[in-house]
């Protein structure tokens, strides 16, 4: 048995025509799923941190580079989908063109990708929830064991425990991020409920997110101050804006 054996296009098409799961998603649902995956923690959470702590106004260059990469990735997927018009995404494309072992690796890479994405978004949601509740959730129950908070002279700073030398510092270590765990379990139950139900909820959330982005742009446009765009790149000796 060869690890690089390939499945022919005819075999894939025949398998796709077999009686199986009922198709419930249409073009609109798929577009909403794509928008829902794009507009998330990266836009609502990480953008401010990237601009304020690392890139400054030059963070716009990152958006341009990401947009170009996404455009080429979309064109590649469109070409693959035209040649192999069945479900399966990158796994099926790799199985047909490069062999079983490559498809197996890509399949697990996709699982890891979605797992990390879900963890990032759920952690961001947890932070938002705690801020909304004015910090009502104790630090230990809304952060992971790898996160620590050092309180020194009335100021809370997220630094490594190994760097704490002052004996009067109070160190708080995370135990488990319960809000993040809760939202992941809730959405998992929704997925178990059914694909159509999940797509409906996703469409509602996407509508809200797009509306928030458009309202933010409409209201915030008049508050743009060109003076804040200078210097465009953060000087080499600066670490924060």
């Amino acid at each position: 048995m060869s690890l690089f054996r390939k499945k022919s296009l005819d075999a894939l098409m025949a398998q796709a025509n077999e009686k199986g799961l009922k198709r419930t998603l249409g073009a609109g649902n798929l577009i909403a799923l794509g928008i829902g995956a794009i507009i998330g923690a990266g836009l609502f959470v990480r953008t401010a941190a990237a601009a304020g702590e690392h890139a400054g106004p030059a963070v716009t260059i990152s958006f341009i580079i990401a947009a170009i990469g996404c455009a080429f990735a979309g064109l590649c997927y469109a070409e693959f989908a035209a040649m192999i018009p069945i479900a399966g995404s990158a796994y099926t494309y790799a199985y047909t063109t490069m062999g079983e072992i490559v498809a197996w690796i890509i399949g697990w890479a996709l699982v890891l990708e979605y797992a990390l994405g879900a963890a990032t978004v759920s952690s961001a949601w947890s932070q938002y929830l705690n801020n909304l509740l004015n910090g009502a959730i104790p630090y230990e129950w809304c952060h992971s064991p790898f996160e620590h908070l050092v309180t020194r002279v009335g100021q809370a700073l997220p630094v490594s425990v190994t760097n704490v030398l002052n004996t009067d510092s109070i160190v708080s270590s995370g135990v488990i991020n319960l809000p993040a765990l809760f939202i992941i379990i809730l959405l998992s139950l929704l997925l178990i409920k059914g694909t159509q139900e999940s797509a409906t909820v996703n469409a509602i959330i996407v509508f809200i997110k797009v509306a928030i982005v458009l309202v933010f742009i409409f209201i915030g446009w008049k508050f743009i101050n060109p003076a804040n765009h200078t210097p465009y790149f953060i000087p080499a000796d600066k670490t924060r804006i």
Side-chain angles (χ1 to χ4, degrees):
M1 180 183 296
S2 174
L3 293 177
F4 292 93
R5 66 177 181 176
K6 302 175 182 178
K7 183 174 289 188
S8 66
L9 182 58
D10 292 335
L12 287 172
M13 296 300 295
Q15 184 178 359
N17 292 328
E18 295 177 358
K19 184 177 181 180
L21 297 176
K22 180 181 178 182
R23 180 176 295 181
T24 57
L25 299 181
N29 297 122
L30 296 177
I31 293 174
L33 286 172
I35 296 176
I38 294 172
I39 303 178
L43 180 62
F44 293 124
V45 180
R46 301 313 308 164
T47 301
E53 301 177 6
H54 302 286
V59 72
T60 52
I61 297 179
S62 300
F63 279 95
I64 295 174
I65 295 175
I68 295 174
C70 289
F72 281 114
L75 291 174
C76 290
Y77 270 97
E79 184 174 358
F80 276 128
M83 293 187 298
I84 311 175
I86 62 174
S89 184
Y91 173 83
T92 302
Y93 307 149
Y95 206 155
T96 307
T97 58
M98 291 180 283
E100 185 176 17
I101 184 63
V102 177
W104 181 83
I105 294 173
I106 289 179
W108 279 108
L110 290 172
V111 172
L112 179 61
E113 171 191 347
Y114 289 123
L116 290 176
T120 302
V121 175
S122 61
S123 297
W125 184 85
S126 174
Q127 295 178 20
Y128 270 121
L129 177 64
N130 202 22
N131 290 335
L132 182 65
L133 299 177
N134 294 322
I137 305 175
Y139 184 89
E140 293 79 2
W141 304 113
C142 60
H143 291 82
S144 73
F146 303 100
E147 296 177 284
H148 310 284
L149 184 71
V150 177
T151 304
R152 182 184 302 125
V153 195
Q155 184 179 13
L157 300 172
V159 299
S160 173
V161 173
T162 57
N163 295 332
V164 179
L165 301 179
N166 294 359
T167 57
D168 58 342
S169 298
I170 302 175
V171 181
S172 299
S173 297
V175 177
I176 186 174
N177 197 330
L178 288 179
L181 181 62
F182 167 77
I183 194 64
I184 287 179
I185 293 176
L186 182 63
L187 294 179
S188 298
L189 293 175
L190 175 62
L191 291 172
I192 294 173
K193 174 65 177 176
T195 303
Q196 185 60 56
E197 292 81 359
S198 303
T200 301
V201 174
N202 176 75
I204 296 173
I205 295 176
V206 166
F207 176 81
I208 295 174
K209 290 196 295 185
V210 172
I212 291 174
V213 172
L214 294 178
V215 170
F216 178 81
I217 294 175
F218 178 77
I219 296 178
W221 188 266
K222 61 182 179 180
F223 294 99
I224 295 178
N225 184 3
N228 294 328
H229 301 163
T230 304
Y232 189 69
F233 293 95
I234 296 180
D237 58 340
K238 301 293 184 181
T239 57
R240 296 178 67 93
I241 294 296

